[in-house]
Amino acid sequence: MKLLKALFLAAVLGVGCSQVGAGEEAYSTARSRLAASIGDYAVPIDQSADPRIVRQIATVPRHLFVPSSHRAEAYNDYALPIGEDQTISQPSLVALMTHLLRPEPGDVMLEVGTGSGYQAAILSGLVRHVYTIEIVGPLARQSARRLTELGYRNVTVRHGDGYAGWPAPAPFDGIIVTAGAEHIPKPLVDQLKPGGRMVIPVGSTREGQRLRLITKDRSGKIGEQVIIGVRFVPLTRDVRE
Ligand code: SAH
């Protein structure tokens, strides 16, 4: 009787496992398809895709960064809600913004607007360390837990207002702001290394923003370039517990 019960359990668990396996395989196929389909993400800046970035899109499990109700859509190239009125960005835009930072393996980067943690996970495989700040408490806690559980060890999440940057690990090789700012925060420009790059959507929430690339040359001179029109949730100053 005991043996029968054990066999029965094994059969049930076995079926369960193979279903999970099949699900993961479907996600992996969809992820590869997504990575292939956004291969022209750098066209707006007249460049070809960076294979390292395409590889990150093909590797980071976006379905684990979205609420389970949206998992089936995780490998479509559009933004999705992540709760708290916030969104995870469109993968092709994540790729473009990452490309604009020109990540190098020794770099230390700052992200303002952790959200789900997906952009930080994409960057983590390309640079030495990612510091990321999120103003909404539940999102900061959830993404910190998620990034740890998924094994992204070179990402540090902090809850707070990213307008002021993160003075302790500054200056940064790159800064990425993933919320729409009305103007470019001066503390962020100050925390950029000479030779560093910052990507930031600037403009009003109502009319949408323009993605800007800010560069600081070796002598500290600031350059600015408008890349494309974008629509991000606003950069706020309202720290939510
Ligand atoms: N990069 C995210 C998506 C960003 S959505 C991802 O990969 O999922 C923008 C995020 O910026 C939201 O979670 C919002 O709460 C956060 N945010 C807005 N203003 C902020 C500020 N001043 N400092 C830090 N985070 C901020």
Side-chain angles (χ1 to χ4, degrees), residues 56 205 237:
Q56 281 302 92
T205 310
R237 306 298 314 277

Side-chain angles (χ1 to χ4, degrees), residues 62 65 80 82-89 94 111-122 132-137 139-140 143 146 158-164 176-180 232-240:
R62 191 172 186 252
F65 290 78
L80 286 168
I82 53 169
E84 309 286 338
D85 291 330
Q86 308 302 331
T87 53
I88 178 173
S89 308
V94 170
E111 179 190 29
V112 176
T114 316
S116 67
Y118 178 72
Q119 170 75 68
I122 292 282
T132 179
I133 310 181
E134 170 56 54
I135 205 162
V136 176
L139 289 178
S143 57
R146 173 182 288 141
R158 172 178 176 175
H159 174 219
D161 179 6
Y163 185 96
I176 179 169
V177 181
T178 62
F232 276 84
V233 296
L235 186 79
T236 70
R237 306 298 314 277
D238 178 20
V239 178
R240 276 156 59 185

Side-chain angles (χ1 to χ4, degrees), residues 177-195:
V177 181
T178 62
E182 279 177 6
H183 60 265
I184 297 169
K186 184 169 180 304
L188 297 185
V189 179
D190 292 344
Q191 289 175 26
L192 207 54
K193 265 189 200 166

Side-chain angles (χ1 to χ4, degrees), residues 13 18 27 31 40 44-45 49 61 68 79 83 97 128 145 155 157-158 160 164 170 198 201 222 233 238:
L13 289 175
S18 74
Y27 284 128
R31 188 160 57 243
D40 57 357
I45 51 170
S68 49
M97 290 172 78
R128 182 151 61 87
R145 198 180 327 118
V155 182
V157 182
R158 172 178 176 175
M198 169 157 70
I222 303 299
V233 296
D238 178 20

